[in-house]
Amino acid sequence: MKKFTTRAVTVGVGTLVAVGAIGAPQAQAIDVWANPGHSKSGKSYVHSARASFTANGDTFTVYDDEKDGYQPVLEVYATRANGDGISGSYWYDKGGKTHGVLLSKDLEEGSAVKFRMCMSWGNKQFACGKFRTTTA
């Protein structure tokens, strides 16, 4: 009896294809990740936090990877299923070294979702990363 192993590799933004026991490729939804960037002084915050967007459920999850006193901020631009726009910054303040769902909305299927991560101290955002764009 032959043993089949399913392997998956994520490369950038796109569709993950896994080969199942019957050998046919099967598309699966993948997370799109965003990280903060660098402060004006050049200090890197790339590994301080991250956020993922999962199209299945239209959910943003934020990971605060360091207990450094800074708060990750998710900046989002998207369209809800009812046609209303979403634009704004959402602060994640759980004390560091934590993660959780920050935002879950019913988005318009096939619409563009644009988001990025920043860091904050109080109400001041800094070290914003590049925008990532994907489809709801």
Side-chain angles (χ1 to χ4, degrees), residues 18-40:
V19 178
I22 59 171
Q26 302 166 358
Q28 299 175 1
I30 64 168
D31 291 340
V32 177
W33 293 91
N35 292 81
H38 295 79
S39 67
K40 288 182 181 177

Side-chain angles (χ1 to χ4, degrees), residues 4-7 17-26 28:
F4 290 94
T5 304
T6 302
R7 294 187 183 188
V17 177
V19 178
I22 59 171
Q26 302 166 358
Q28 299 175 1

Side-chain angles (χ1 to χ4, degrees), residues 8-52:
V9 177
T10 303
V11 180
V13 178
T15 302
L16 177 68
V17 177
V19 178
I22 59 171
Q26 302 166 358
Q28 299 175 1
I30 64 168
D31 291 340
V32 177
W33 293 91
N35 292 81
H38 295 79
S39 67
K40 288 182 181 177
S41 68
K43 181 177 178 184
S44 175
Y45 289 87
V46 172
H47 300 289
S48 297
R50 56 200 156 103
S52 67

Side-chain angles (χ1 to χ4, degrees), residues 53 58 60 76-88 90 102-114 136:
F53 173 74
D58 300 329
F60 293 91
V76 177
Y77 298 91
T79 304
R80 291 183 181 172
N82 66 7
D84 291 344
I86 298 172
S87 64
Y90 299 87
L102 178 62
L103 187 63
S104 185
K105 300 286 184 182
D106 184 18
L107 300 179
E108 182 179 317
E109 292 301 315
S111 67
V113 177
K114 185 176 168 182

